[in-house]
Amino acid sequence: MGELTGRDFLKEVDFTPDEWGHLVELTGALKSARREGREEQRLRGMNFALIFEKSSTRTRAAFEVGARQQGAHTTYLDPSGAHIGSKESAADTALVLERMYDGIEFRGNSQDTVEALAEHASIPVWNGLTDEWHPTQALCDAFTMVESAGRPARDLSFAYLGDARYNTGNSMLTMGTMMGMDVRMVAPPEFAPSPARVELAREIAASTGARITITDDIEAGVAGVDFVHTDVWVSMGEPHGVWAERCRILAPYRVTAQVMGLAASEAKFMHCLPAFHDLETSTARLVHDLTGMRELEVSDEVFTSEASIVFDQAENRLHSIKAVMVATAS
Ligand code: CP
Ligand code: NVA
């Protein structure tokens, strides 16, 4: 689908459901080609700038490795080593980088920044996560669900539990709707998707046939679903001071074996990662000191269970991000 050449990848709704479906298919084609040793390099000789205002393991790794496997080179720019935002506007940065690069990835707080980069740069700009959207994660998750179930997206259901009003929640709601899925957003009222996001999803559902449920009722929301998703309860950039209250409100939404028992018998557990399922990290230990909780959004039992496909999902960040780069830059 050559018509994606030159396009930006800023949020799901910038694409039609057909274009989005093409990106999901391309993810699978690139994964198979890699596995079977017949990958063709379509980005040879290109250079991509990767701007990270926030930390990353998977997204950065996927852009760097994916670009390299396709024959392109990358430059990692973080706030301590670049001027964007402090001494140089997004617009000026875009006008500089387009003289040297063939694509720009941006991860940071504000969706406005990635939109401004895209407005001013004549090369593709890719959103690696903002507070509002996480579209490369959504593409990965769309592909992972279809791959795992071996059934078309319109026959699949998922429940997303926890903080449903932030980047991953927004992207899951929108992606699932564009794919025509049975989408259940399961969260307490204060962490439910905003009315604007729900209205947008309902508009899209009118043409894709997606079914949308927004509920705080865990039993009703999870009943019979094929996939149970969650994300961290406090996202990057949020103040440390919100942890205690957030944990108190979201504790009932932890994905436990009991919650998985409400889903379909073959249901899988998914998480964009990183996950708080044990006390092996400094942040988890700090939260434990504050709240006494040893596991947060997912129990260690579920995270390490046979039903958990989180590392397949993490691998698919590579293939899906590669699809975004190939579709738009080649
Ligand atoms: N899921 C995800 O975006 O991971 P990183 O923060 O490690 O990039
Ligand atoms: N909601 C999380 C996603 C991490 C991949 C965050 O923004 O920190």
Side-chain angles (χ1 to χ4, degrees):
M1 193 179 272
E3 62 260 35
L4 294 187
T5 301
R7 292 271 293 277
D8 302 309
F9 186 83
L10 307 178
K11 52 190 180 298
E12 295 79 1
V13 286
D14 292 344
F15 295 86
T16 64
D18 279 352
E19 288 170 340
W20 187 260
H22 165 72
L23 288 169
V24 175
E25 278 171 26
L26 182 58
T27 299
L30 288 167
K31 181 172 184 175
S32 302
R34 181 82 200 158
R35 289 250 165 120
E36 292 157 20
R38 52 177 179 79
E39 180 169 7
E40 286 171 30
Q41 291 192 328
R42 290 167 57 184
L43 303 175
R44 199 173 297 155
M46 291 188 175
N47 285 286
F48 301 138
L50 310 181
I51 306 172
F52 280 85
E53 279 181 3
K54 290 180 171 178
S55 8
S56 167
T57 298
R58 282 145 288 272
T59 308
R60 177 182 176 182
F63 270 103
E64 292 199 4
V65 174
R68 183 65 60 89
Q69 289 176 348
Q70 279 288 314
H73 298 269
T74 54
T75 307
Y76 179 73
L77 299 168
D78 73 18
S80 62
H83 300 300
I84 183 168
S86 55
K87 286 167 60 186
E88 198 158 35
S89 66
D92 290 355
T93 304
L95 295 171
V96 171
L97 294 180
E98 71 172 15
R99 302 291 179 110
M100 304 182 201
Y101 290 94
D102 303 287
I104 302 169
E105 180 276 355
F106 174 85
R107 166 176 285 202
N109 298 297
S110 171
Q111 182 72 16
D112 289 348
T113 308
V114 78
E115 301 271 354
L117 283 169
E119 185 186 338
H120 294 278
S122 57
I123 55 179
V125 173
W126 307 304
N127 180 358
L129 174 148
T130 62
D131 292 350
E132 252 179 279
W133 301 106
H134 196 1
T136 61
Q137 184 70 53
L139 180 61
C140 165
D141 292 1
F143 171 73
T144 304
M145 286 190 279
V146 172
E147 176 188 51
S148 169
R151 282 185 277 141
R154 65 178 176 280
D155 295 341
L156 299 177
S157 55
F158 72 82
Y160 176 94
L161 271 69
D163 181 0
R165 43 101 243 185
Y166 218 69
N167 43 28
T168 305
N170 289 336
S171 281
M172 290 299 296
L173 170 61
T174 310
M175 171 279 286
T177 307
M178 286 172 63
M179 301 280 293
M181 301 174 83
D182 177 351
V183 179
R184 326 263 187 94
M185 304 303 286
V186 186
E190 51 274 64
F191 293 98
S194 72
R197 298 276 173 263
V198 177
E199 193 182 318
L200 177 66
R202 294 208 190 283
E203 276 169 28
I204 298 166
S207 65
T208 64
R211 290 129 291 162
I212 299 168
T213 306
I214 313 290
T215 182
D216 60 358
D217 182 331
I218 297 166
E219 276 194 24
V222 178
V225 291
D226 300 306
F227 297 91
V228 179
H229 286 251
T230 190
D231 185 15
V232 293
W233 287 344
V234 175
S235 287
M236 291 183 280
E238 293 198 275
H240 187 76
V242 303
W243 269 111
E245 199 202 1
R246 194 69 59 84
C247 288
R248 184 180 59 73
I249 297 171
L250 291 177
Y253 294 83
R254 173 180 302 133
V255 180
T256 59
Q258 194 186 357
V259 169
M260 290 302 292
L262 301 167
S265 58
E266 298 297 311
K268 304 290 188 227
F269 170 71
M270 296 176 68
H271 191 310
C272 57
L273 305 182
F276 289 95
H277 60 98
D278 58 22
L279 294 182
E280 296 300 316
T281 66
S282 56
T283 305
R285 287 190 289 274
L286 279 175
V287 178
H288 175 251
D289 290 346
L290 271 177
T291 65
M293 290 183 186
R294 305 183 66 83
E295 41 194 28
L296 301 183
E297 72 274 7
V298 57
S299 70
D300 197 49
E301 183 184 10
V302 168
F303 187 85
T304 57
S305 69
E306 285 288 313
S308 174
I309 57 169
V310 295
F311 297 110
D312 295 329
Q313 185 184 359
E315 178 194 331
N316 287 337
R317 298 302 307 288
L318 170 65
H319 309 296
S320 48
I321 281 176
K322 193 190 283 182
V324 170
M325 292 189 287
V326 166
T328 60
S330 71

